[in-house]
Amino acid sequence: MTNRIAALLGRSGEFDATVGPALRRALVDVADSVLRDLFGNPGAGVALVAVGGYGRGEPAFGSDLDLLLVHNGRRDDIAQLADAIWYPLWDAGVGLDHSVRTVAEAVAVADGNLKAALGLLDARVVAGDHALAASLLERVRSRWRARAPRRLPELADMVADRARRHGEVAFLLEPDLKEARGGLRDVHALAALAAAWVAEKPPERVLAAYRVLLDIRGEVRRLARGGERNRLLLQDTAAVAAALSYPGSSALAHATADAGRTISWTWDVTWYRVSAGLRPPSRWLRSRPARRPLDEGVVEQNREAQLARDADPAGDPTLTLRVAAAAARAGVPIGRYALDRLAREATPMPTPWPDAARDALVALLATGAPAVAVMEALDQVGLLVRLLPEWERVRSKPQRNPYHRFTVDRHLIETAAAATASTRGVDRPDLLLLGALLHDIGKGWPGDHTEAGIAVVGVIAPRLGLPPADAEVLVTMVRHHLLLAEAATRRDIDDVTTIEAVARAAGSPRVLGLLHALTEADSLATGPTAWSPWKARLVGELVSRTMAVYRGERAPCPPALTERQRLLLAFADEYAVVVNPLPDDGMFEIVVVAPDRPGLLAATTGVLAVNRLDVRRASARACGGRALLQAAVSASSAMAGPGPGGEAPSPAILRGDLLRSLDGTLDLDARITMREQAYARPRGGYTPAPPRVIFDDSGADTVVEIRAPDRAGVLFRMVRALSDAGLGVRTAIVATIGLDVVNAFYVRDADGEALVVAERRKQVADAVLAALQPPSGPVT
C-alpha cells in the first residue's frame, strides 16, 4: 500500500512517462484500490463515496481526496471504520476533505452549502453499499432540480466572484487553470446547469477545451511535486509544453487561451438563456414571444437577436454583419439559433465587399463595448475568420509579456471599442475604427509586426471596398500607429527636430488626428500602465505643436532657457532643491540648482532612486557656471516598496542626500543595490531581453536610446555610465513598458559635438552595457 500511495503523490516515479487522460485514469485506479483495501467489508448500511474532482475521475498528483463516508445511522462502529480509512492516508501525507454523515445529514448539508451540493452532483461510489449511496445521490440531484430557481443564481454569483478575484484564463500571463474565468470550475458550473435540467450538457468543443486545461494542470502539479498549485507559471511553460507534445511555449499559451475563451463564452451564452428562463413571466406576456424588428432580416425575440422568418443567409452576404451590428446596438446577444444558422448557411462575402457590408462592420465597431461580446460570438462559431481570413493568424495569440493584458485579437477588438470615444473628434470615424481593428494584425506574422501589418492591410483594405486614397490612409495608420507614443515618451518634444519628424511621418492633419485618437485607444486597450494623464498630456502637446507646423507656423518649442529657468538659476543658495506639484496625480517636479560639475545629473538621479522616486523625464541646463536640473517624478511607483506613496518628497531630505552623495559620504551604489534586492519587481518566469544601445543622429544632439530591464536605480546607472564616458546629458526621457525601460538621452561629447564616430559609439555602448549588468545575489 505504501508504494501505491507514493504513486498517488507522484513520489514513486511509476507514472513519470504517463500524461493526460491516461495519468488521470491511473491515479483514480490507484486511489480506488487503496481506499477499497482500507474500507474492507463492513457489511451493508455504509458506503464510501468520492466527491468533487476525485468523484469526476480527475485527480492530479497531490490532489486532496474528497470523501464522504455515508451510513444508515449505525453508530456502534462508524467512527472506528472512519479512523481506519483516514489515519493511514494522513500518515502517508495524502490530503483529505472528508466527512461522515447519514443520508439525511448529507442532504441537509447540501441544501445549505452550495459547494457541498456541487461536489455531490459529481459523486460516485468507491466501495460499500451501492443502494445506500444511490439513494443519497438521487435525493441530492432531485433537490438540486427542484431548488434550481434559488440555487442557480447562487451558482452564477459564485462564477462571477471567481472571475473578479482570479481574472481570465485566456488573458492572464500566469492563469489559475482551475479558479479563473474560463477555467475548470466554469465547466463544473455548466455541468451543474445540465444537472438541473435547464441546459444541455456541455458540448464536445467545451469538453475538449476542458481536457486541454486538465492535461496542463496535471503537468503543473507534477512540476510542483504534488503541491496544491493550479497556476501555469511562465517558468514552467517549456516543460509543460514538452511533456504534452506542444511545439513550444507559445503553442501551449495559445491552446490555454483558446480553451479559456471557449469555456467562458459558453458559460456566458448558456447562463444568459437559463437566467431568462428563471425570471417569473410577466402577466402581460403574450402566448407567443414578441418579435421586434431591428434591421432588415433581423428581429429581437426573448432578449436575443434572431433571424427574421424571411432572412436568407445563403443569398444575403451582408446579413451576418447586419445581425451583429443590430445585436450590439440593441445591447442583446445574437441568439444561438441565429448564430448556428449563419455558421451553416452564410454565403462568402464577395470581393470587394459591398458598401453595405463595410458600413455594417463600421456600425458594429461604432457601438463600442457591446461590440466586444458580439464579435466574440462571431469568432466562437467561425464567422469572424470567414469574414477576415487574416484573423486566424491572431486568434487567441498571446502577447507573452506583462505589458499587454489581452491576446492579440481581443486587443484589436478592445482598441476599436475604446476608439469610439474619439469618433466625433476626427473627420473620418470609419477609418479610425477600421484602423483600430487592424493596427496590430501584423503580429500574426513573423518579423516586425508593423512591417507585416503594412503588407497585410495593403491587401485587406481594397478587399473591404475602400477607395485607393482611403486604403492608403489605413495603411499609413498601421505604419505609424506607434509614432506618437514613441515620439512623446522617448524623444524630447521641446526639440524642433522631433516635431518636424512627426509632421513628415504623419503627412497631413487628417492622419495626425486619426493617429492621435488611435494612440489613446491602443494604449487604453493595452493595459493599466500604458496610458496615464502624464502620457496623455505629452501626446496632446506633441500633436498640438505638429498641427502648428501644418498651419505653416514654426514649431512652438521653448527657447534654450525660459524666463522661469533663468530665475531659478539666479537662486542665491549655492545648492537649492525645490519640489513643485504637477497637474498629474502623484507627480512632482524636482528642481535642483547647483554649481555646474561633472556627475551632477547622475548624483541627482541616484538620490531620487534612493528616495523611491521614479523619474519620467529629466533635463539639464547650464549657464554662467551654474547648473539647473529639472525632473518630473512619480511618488507612487510600483517599485517603491513600503513608503509614503503619493506624498510630496521632502526638499530638505533630497538636498541633504545630494550633498552627501557629492562629498562621498553617501554611497549611492550600495543604497540602490540594497533597495534593488529588497524590492525587486517579481517577474515570474518572464525573461526580459538583454539591454540594447541605439544611436540616433536626426537632430543637433545625438540621442542615445537604451533599452533594458527595469530595476531600482537603472536610470542612475545609465546616466553615470554616460557621464563617466565623457558625455554631457542635456535631456533624459524615461519610459517604462511593462518590466522594461526605454530611456532616451540627448547627449554631446566633451568637445560639444555630436557622437558620430563608430569607434567612439562602441566605447559608449560598452560602458553602458557594463553598467547594466544584473546584480549578484538572488533577485526574484
Side-chain angles (χ1 to χ4, degrees), residues 292-315:
R292 179 171 70 93
L294 295 178
D295 203 334
E296 181 186 353
V298 192
V299 297
E300 180 186 345
Q301 179 177 326
N302 291 335
R303 299 186 179 91
E304 293 179 323
Q306 296 286 4
L307 298 179
R309 294 185 181 90
D310 59 351
D312 179 19

Side-chain angles (χ1 to χ4, degrees), residues 526-549:
T526 294
T529 63
W531 193 249
S532 64
W534 167 256
K535 186 173 179 180
R537 191 153 58 86
L538 287 177
V539 171
E541 184 63 30
L542 173 62
V543 170
S544 175
R545 294 177 182 184
T546 307
M547 286 294 187
V549 172

Side-chain angles (χ1 to χ4, degrees), residues 645-734:
E647 294 181 9
S650 165
I653 292 176
L654 295 178
R655 182 179 184 276
D657 285 349
L658 178 61
L659 291 174
R660 290 192 295 123
S661 69
L662 292 172
D663 67 20
T665 57
L666 173 61
D667 188 341
L668 290 174
D669 262 323
R671 287 281 299 275
I672 289 172
T673 300
M674 181 172 62
R675 180 190 161 211
E676 182 173 22
Q677 294 181 340
Y679 302 119
R681 297 182 75 171
R683 293 178 177 270
Y686 172 65
T687 304
R692 291 178 59 201
V693 180
I694 302 167
F695 295 90
D696 178 4
D697 283 318
S698 57
D701 296 316
T702 297
V703 178
V704 182
E705 184 175 287
I706 307 173
R707 306 182 182 194
D710 193 10
R711 66 186 214 247
V714 66
L715 178 63
F716 162 67
R717 290 187 171 91
M718 291 177 180
V719 174
R720 187 177 61 178
L722 294 172
S723 178
D724 289 350
L727 300 182
V729 179
R730 183 178 64 81
T731 301
I733 309 295
V734 181

Side-chain angles (χ1 to χ4, degrees), residues 45-317:
V46 62
L48 187 61
V49 177
V51 300
Y54 178 37
R56 290 186 297 272
E58 300 164 357
F61 285 128
S63 291
D64 287 354
L65 297 181
D66 295 343
L67 298 168
L68 168 64
L69 189 63
V70 62
H71 60 95
N72 61 359
R74 56 196 276 181
R75 301 292 181 185
D76 51 345
D77 65 345
I78 196 67
Q80 182 180 354
L81 176 59
D83 289 348
I85 299 171
W86 310 150
Y87 277 96
L89 295 172
W90 283 329
D91 291 344
V94 176
L96 291 178
D97 187 349
H98 63 289
S99 58
V100 181
R101 295 189 176 105
T102 65
V103 170
E105 289 169 346
V107 170
V109 170
D111 283 346
N113 186 298
L114 180 60
K115 289 184 178 180
L118 294 173
L120 283 170
L121 291 178
D122 297 319
R124 64 182 178 87
V125 184
V126 176
D129 189 333
H130 281 249
L132 177 70
S135 69
L136 165 66
L137 301 185
E138 175 53 34
R139 286 184 62 181
V140 168
R141 290 164 184 166
S142 64
R143 290 176 74 82
W144 178 255
R145 294 190 295 271
R147 293 172 154 221
R150 181 172 71 84
R151 303 310 297 271
L152 296 187
E154 291 181 54
L155 175 67
D157 288 344
M158 181 183 290
V159 171
D161 181 63
R162 281 201 308 270
R164 283 190 294 271
R165 288 186 291 115
H166 298 283
E168 295 198 46
V169 166
F171 307 128
L172 288 168
L173 203 59
E174 296 184 330
D176 187 315
L177 303 169
K178 187 176 182 180
E179 302 289 345
R181 170 173 158 81
L184 299 172
R185 288 204 185 277
D186 283 4
V187 181
H188 306 160
L190 286 166
L193 296 182
W197 295 358
V198 297
E200 296 179 353
K201 290 182 179 180
E204 175 54 33
R205 66 190 299 264
V206 171
L207 297 179
Y210 184 63
R211 290 190 291 270
V212 166
L213 298 187
L214 277 176
D215 291 351
I216 297 171
R217 175 177 174 256
E219 295 310 302
V220 166
R221 285 296 188 89
R222 189 196 303 272
L223 292 171
R225 300 184 181 276
E228 279 288 332
R229 194 176 82 201
N230 299 300
R231 189 176 299 281
L232 175 60
L233 302 179
L234 276 171
Q235 65 198 33
D236 293 339
T237 54
V240 173
L244 296 175
S245 300
Y246 285 96
S249 296
S250 294
L252 175 72
H254 188 285
T256 304
D258 203 37
R261 289 177 64 180
T262 297
I263 292 168
S264 61
W265 179 77
T266 304
W267 165 261
D268 287 345
V269 297
T270 304
W271 175 245
Y272 185 87
R273 301 205 76 176
V274 168
S275 63
L278 293 176
R279 298 189 193 103
S282 168
R283 62 193 182 94
W284 304 109
L285 192 65
R286 303 171 184 170
S287 58
R288 297 181 63 184
R291 295 168 65 88
R292 179 171 70 93
L294 295 178
D295 203 334
E296 181 186 353
V298 192
V299 297
E300 180 186 345
Q301 179 177 326
N302 291 335
R303 299 186 179 91
E304 293 179 323
Q306 296 286 4
L307 298 179
R309 294 185 181 90
D310 59 351
D312 179 19
D316 186 351

Side-chain angles (χ1 to χ4, degrees), residues 265 269 334 339 372-383:
W265 179 77
V269 297
I334 303 174
L339 271 177
V372 176
V374 171
M375 294 190 75
E376 179 72 7
L378 296 181
D379 179 74
Q380 287 293 325
V381 298
L383 286 167

